[in-house]
Amino acid sequence: MSPASTAAAPSAPPPPPRPSTPPFAPSRPSDGDSGGTGGSVGTGSSSGGGENGGRSTCQCDDCPHSARQSYRKAVAAFVRRRDELAAGLGVPVGLAHSAGASRQWVSDELTGAARALADRSREEGEAWVARLWRRTVGTVWAAAGLLLLVQLLTALAGGWSTGRTAGLVAAGVSAVGLSVAAWLHRSRGGVLAPVIGEDNRLSTSRTVAAGWVLLAVFAVLVLAVELAAAPTPGDRRALLTGLDLSRGAGVVTVLALTCAVAVVVRRTVTVRVQGRRLQKVRADRPHAADLLTDDAGRGAFSDVQYVLINGVAVVFAAVRLSRQPDRLPDLPWGLALLVVVSAATYLAGKYAEGGRPVVLSVVRAREMGDLHSPIRTGDDIEIRGAGFVPPGATAPDRLARVVVRIGTVHVHAPLIPVPGGFAGPADTVLNVPVPAEVEPGRVEVQVVTAAGAETNRYPIDVVE
């Protein structure tokens, strides 16, 4: 073709204008970096043939390819996209004429992104737990080293004794046993594996019971070493007298009580969850704050007082053991009674927490300027009640799991973004549209929470 004919040919139409913010692809959100950690938030795959060549397996904290850094980048990308959608940026122009369609599109975009972000969060939690067992072993041996240092410093004034040797030997044996247990349970958090509950949080009752068990084991090991080193039968009889129940009744009582509380609490939580009187949502990983807070991260009085009082009692018993290593720690009955009162308060708090989600009323959601009318298909309804968002379910992927059953139709409660968070679903109010698939007549509305609990059925009338 000649240049003249080329010039005479009609020019190609200009490309359509791009929106100010490109639509967010839920399966491949940007993580703010073009390195090897880019790609899918959910899979952790490399988008450009990065150094990892697939799923990130680095267990370092500061490495740019670690699960923690990938999770932080994914969180930043999700927050940025949420705030953009809350400001109305990036919504397709074709949906701007319909508030319901644009709201559903935004909700679907954020739901996909939230699920991908949750995958990254779980990967980060698994990597953290995989590193935890080494840290717990290091902590155990650091405690044994601290005991050795204290023994050396105190021996400068009072001289070395058989009790000091027995304490160091007992600490070494305990450290070896805990190290072996940590290696065997390295995929579950090492030494902390027995105190991590089924919801992947640190259990307050199990931690307190574990503290008393460790103190009792250490005390018995000290007596056993001293008994093995006793030179005369009289010394051995005196050591055996230190195991009499009359001298260690307080410690034995508190030990039995805290262990019983741990078992009762686990059974209570299981029964209440199965009976739909308590909602439990699994955490991504355990935190030290779990010992003092509820599932939502708020400080819990019953947990705080239980940990503090038992912590003080354990320290008191350990000091008594250091002063008299030839007998079980003599815990005064006044202090033991204080632990009993604390345990009763803790149990009462466990029985009082939670409750079933409930729907109190369902009304037609009315916008400014709308006329009063009955509920029709296509209208938005406002569900008022309590317990729609259980503690620990405020993450966006958990919020996206809230479902409203209208008759036989299941409607997912839309995610409504606002700068800094979400306006819905909320714990007391849900706004959902009545789909066209709902048959006119009397239907029942029921909410299914992220924990799987179902509310009562509330009847409404839908007219044609």
Side-chain angles (χ1 to χ4, degrees):
M1 182 177 297
S2 63
S5 62
T6 303
S11 60
R18 298 180 61 185
S20 59
T21 303
F24 183 78
S27 59
R28 300 184 65 83
S30 171
D31 58 4
D33 193 355
S34 59
T37 57
S40 171
V41 172
T43 61
S45 60
S46 176
S47 61
E51 299 176 5
N52 291 358
R55 180 179 292 273
S56 175
T57 57
C58 181
Q59 302 296 329
C60 304
D61 287 341
D62 301 326
C63 174
H65 303 294
S66 67
R68 173 176 293 185
Q69 295 299 326
S70 298
Y71 171 66
R72 289 176 177 175
K73 295 175 182 178
V75 169
F78 179 84
V79 170
R80 182 170 58 252
R81 184 54 174 162
R82 180 201 63 199
D83 293 343
E84 289 174 353
L85 292 176
L89 302 177
V91 180
V93 178
L95 299 177
H97 67 283
S98 174
S102 60
R103 181 182 61 184
Q104 187 61 46
W105 185 88
V106 169
S107 177
D108 291 343
E109 287 289 296
L110 291 176
T111 297
R115 291 172 180 172
L117 180 62
D119 291 338
R120 278 287 173 89
S121 178
R122 282 189 290 269
E123 290 176 3
E124 192 272 339
E126 293 172 357
W128 184 86
V129 172
R131 298 190 303 267
L132 182 60
W133 78 274
R134 294 186 177 89
R135 298 178 181 179
T136 56
V137 171
T139 302
V140 168
W141 284 103
L146 179 62
L147 177 62
L148 173 61
L149 180 62
V150 172
Q151 295 282 36
L152 292 176
L153 293 177
T154 55
L156 296 178
W160 197 261
S161 63
T162 305
R164 300 182 189 277
T165 303
L168 292 178
V169 173
V173 172
S174 301
V176 170
L178 291 175
S179 300
V180 173
W183 186 83
L184 293 176
H185 297 278
R186 57 189 179 277
S187 62
R188 284 282 298 161
V191 174
L192 297 182
V195 299
I196 297 178
E198 287 73 15
D199 58 351
N200 207 29
R201 295 181 176 88
L202 287 180
S203 171
T204 302
S205 59
R206 297 185 193 181
T207 302
V208 170
W212 284 107
V213 169
L214 289 176
L215 177 64
V217 169
F218 182 79
V220 173
L221 285 175
V222 170
L223 287 173
V225 174
E226 287 190 310
L227 183 63
T232 63
D235 294 335
R236 289 192 288 271
R237 284 193 298 269
L239 290 172
L240 291 176
T241 304
L243 290 173
D244 288 345
L245 184 60
S246 59
R247 299 185 177 182
V251 170
V252 173
T253 301
V254 171
L255 175 63
L257 175 65
T258 53
C259 291
V261 167
V263 175
V264 170
V265 167
R266 179 179 181 182
R267 177 61 180 171
T268 300
V269 171
T270 301
V271 172
R272 288 173 62 84
V273 169
Q274 293 176 351
R276 302 178 183 179
R277 298 190 301 273
L278 178 65
Q279 301 186 72
K280 296 289 288 186
V281 178
R282 181 178 175 83
D284 292 330
R285 69 176 180 89
H287 297 81
D290 296 338
L291 300 177
L292 306 176
T293 61
D294 57 12
D295 292 351
R298 300 183 298 262
F301 170 76
S302 59
D303 294 60
V304 171
Q305 61 88 26
Y306 191 57
V307 171
L308 289 181
I309 292 179
N310 280 275
V312 171
V314 168
V315 171
F316 181 88
V319 172
R320 293 297 295 265
L321 178 63
S322 65
R323 292 296 184 181
Q324 297 176 331
D326 57 343
R327 63 174 62 183
L328 288 177
D330 185 10
L331 195 67
W333 281 110
L335 185 56
L337 182 59
L338 183 62
V339 173
V340 171
V341 174
S342 175
T345 304
Y346 178 73
L347 283 177
K350 285 298 178 182
Y351 275 101
E353 71 179 4
R356 296 190 61 177
V358 59
V359 174
L360 300 177
S361 62
V362 179
V363 298
R364 177 178 175 270
R366 177 178 174 271
E367 299 292 340
M368 295 296 295
D370 286 352
L371 298 177
H372 301 285
S373 63
I375 298 176
R376 293 183 172 88
T377 56
D379 291 341
D380 288 350
I381 57 175
E382 183 179 284
I383 306 171
R384 303 170 183 174
F388 300 149
V389 181
T394 55
D397 63 303
R398 270 69 179 262
L399 292 176
R401 295 173 60 185
V402 180
V403 176
V404 178
R405 185 184 295 123
I406 306 177
T408 59
V409 182
H410 292 74
V411 182
H412 286 266
L415 287 175
I416 303 176
V418 295
F422 293 93
D427 187 63
T428 57
V429 178
L430 296 178
N431 284 275
V432 296
V434 179
E437 292 79 7
V438 176
E439 295 292 337
R442 171 151 291 204
V443 296
E444 294 180 333
V445 177
Q446 188 178 30
V447 177
V448 182
T449 69
E454 298 179 347
T455 65
N456 57 303
R457 299 176 184 270
Y458 193 93
I460 63 172
D461 293 317
V462 179
V463 302
E464 297 182 357

